[in-house]
Amino acid sequence: MAAKKAEQELVNQWRDILALHARTQCELDRALHGHGLCASDFEVLDLLSEDSAADGGCAYRVQEIADRIHLSQSALSRLIARLEKDGLLQRAMCPEDRRGVRVGLTEKGRALHGEVRPVQRAVLTRMLADSADR
């Protein structure tokens, strides 16, 4: 009986995490929509802003982004192509491996990230504080 109760508590905790993620993702999408972004777009911009190449060039290989952003390879490729088309990212061949592609923020991407970062952080602060109160 106690094992069954513990198992149900584990399942309930997992479902609470999933629900928090879904609510937060929706809130982020709503808040970022006015800036022409969705939550996944921002995650890529945010990741690239953390470790921009010193010369402003392409800092991350696409595979490195895929390892950190929870999207399929094909979804990430489409997202990168769209952000590049919007002038927020640039792609370049890897000098150390001509088969690889590196991605970095453009000046426009850096500026938009700087503008939107406080919006994203405010949503996270509110949503995670709300979850702590539950």
Side-chain angles (χ1 to χ4, degrees):
M1 186 72 150
K4 187 152 180 93
K5 184 177 179 185
E7 179 182 334
Q8 188 57 52
E9 287 177 12
L10 179 67
V11 169
N12 290 342
Q13 183 180 12
W14 172 242
R15 289 180 181 157
D16 288 345
I17 290 168
L18 291 174
L20 174 61
H21 178 267
R23 286 191 310 272
T24 303
Q25 193 80 7
C26 287
E27 285 297 314
L28 287 169
D29 284 340
R30 273 193 281 276
L32 298 173
H33 180 76
H35 299 276
L37 299 172
C38 68
S40 295
D41 297 341
F42 182 83
E43 284 302 315
V44 170
L45 296 179
D46 201 42
L47 175 63
L48 293 173
S49 75
E50 289 175 3
D51 191 30
S52 293
D55 62 359
C58 297
Y60 279 93
R61 292 175 65 129
V62 173
Q63 187 56 48
E64 292 170 325
I65 298 170
D67 290 344
R68 306 254 323 257
I69 302 295
H70 303 290
L71 293 174
S72 68
Q73 185 71 37
S74 62
L76 179 60
S77 293
R78 287 190 304 274
L79 185 150
I80 288 172
R82 185 171 34 79
L83 294 178
E84 182 181 35
K85 181 181 171 208
D86 292 344
L88 302 174
L89 302 180
Q90 60 186 356
R91 287 190 267 193
M93 299 303 292
C94 291
E96 63 274 7
D97 177 3
R98 302 290 294 163
R99 296 169 294 165
V101 175
R102 286 194 172 276
V103 179
L105 289 176
T106 61
E107 285 302 317
K108 181 178 176 183
R110 261 189 215 56
L112 182 60
H113 175 264
E115 175 185 324
V116 176
R117 185 176 182 270
V119 173
Q120 189 258 8
R121 297 306 198 258
V123 170
L124 291 182
T125 299
R126 181 171 44 84
M127 295 302 293
L128 297 177
D130 286 353
S131 76
D133 296 337
R134 290 177 189 241

